[in-house]
Amino acid sequence: MTGLFRAMVLKVLYPMLMLVGAFSKDKKERLQLFIVDLNNRLVRAQGFKTKRILLLLPHCLQINDCDVRITNDIYNCKRCGRCNIKDLISVADENNLKLFVATGGNLARRIVSDVRPEAVVAVACERDLSSGIADAYPLPVLGIPNERPFGPCFNTRVDLTKVKEAIEFFGK
């Protein structure tokens, strides 16, 4: 029953809310966050378990003035600790996860298609998370909104505790 409700949320409610939110950017972001939160609750209620988890990250987690680009291979990171990437690599390695950085929605969808995980833990802004979760359905995705202290797509951060909790949920 939860799976059917999740389908209704992502394929019917989400597009309707985006139409309503089209008239106000602030309202649209709140509605996108609502969809991400509701999806996360429904995925957790389904209790899906797997070890084949993809950890998908946005490129904006990397500090802007870093001289190393990690979008082609996140393991190019020098692990200086100025951004969350070093810690996210460690989390992925400790849990034997596939780990990728996407520069946008099209690349994220291609990564999911190529990797073929059984579940995804995704970090991004509300807009990319909500659309990506809807596009990936029926694949279970737990979305974690990034923190944007300097505005969108610039030196963002993520709460590592939330990432670890999402991975543990799928893996236990």
Side-chain angles (χ1 to χ4, degrees):
M1 186 66 178
T2 305
L4 177 61
F5 187 59
R6 188 167 160 253
M8 295 296 290
V9 165
L10 296 176
K11 298 302 179 184
V12 177
L13 181 62
Y14 171 65
M16 288 173 38
L17 290 178
M18 291 308 92
L19 183 62
V20 169
F23 301 103
S24 168
K25 184 178 187 248
D26 291 338
K27 184 179 281 189
K28 189 171 187 175
E29 283 185 6
R30 285 194 306 272
L31 293 171
Q32 289 164 334
L33 184 58
F34 170 75
I35 291 295
V36 172
D37 288 339
L38 184 55
N39 170 77
N40 287 353
R41 290 175 193 206
L42 293 171
V43 167
R44 289 179 184 277
Q46 285 182 284
F48 191 83
K49 303 298 177 199
T50 182
K51 298 289 183 194
R52 287 186 35 209
I53 305 166
L54 167 63
L55 179 54
L56 190 56
L57 308 173
H59 67 95
C60 58
L61 286 176
Q62 183 181 26
I63 195 97
N64 189 58
D65 63 0
C66 185
D67 60 349
V68 175
R69 286 293 126 210
I70 60 167
T71 50
N72 289 330
D73 183 357
I74 194 168
Y75 291 95
N76 287 336
C77 176
K78 290 184 179 178
R79 298 180 177 132
C80 67
R82 293 173 53 211
C83 66
N84 285 137
I85 299 297
K86 175 186 99 163
D87 298 321
L88 290 161
I89 291 171
S90 294
V91 168
D93 287 349
E94 289 166 8
N95 292 282
N96 295 320
L97 305 181
K98 299 280 186 179
L99 173 64
F100 287 90
V101 173
T103 54
N106 288 335
L107 181 56
R109 283 184 282 282
R110 191 175 88 210
I111 290 168
V112 170
S113 175
D114 291 349
V115 173
R116 301 183 59 119
E118 291 181 352
V120 178
V121 173
V123 176
C125 61
E126 292 86 350
R127 179 192 59 158
D128 289 349
L129 282 176
S130 59
S131 65
I133 288 167
D135 289 345
Y137 181 82
L139 189 67
V141 178
L142 288 176
I144 303 165
N146 59 4
E147 300 164 4
R148 300 178 299 252
F150 305 103
C153 289
F154 186 79
N155 294 343
T156 64
R157 304 204 42 86
V158 65
D159 184 338
L160 291 170
T161 303
K162 291 179 181 178
V163 173
K164 291 175 183 177
E165 287 172 354
I167 293 166
E168 286 176 17
F169 165 78
F170 283 130
K172 282 192 176 178

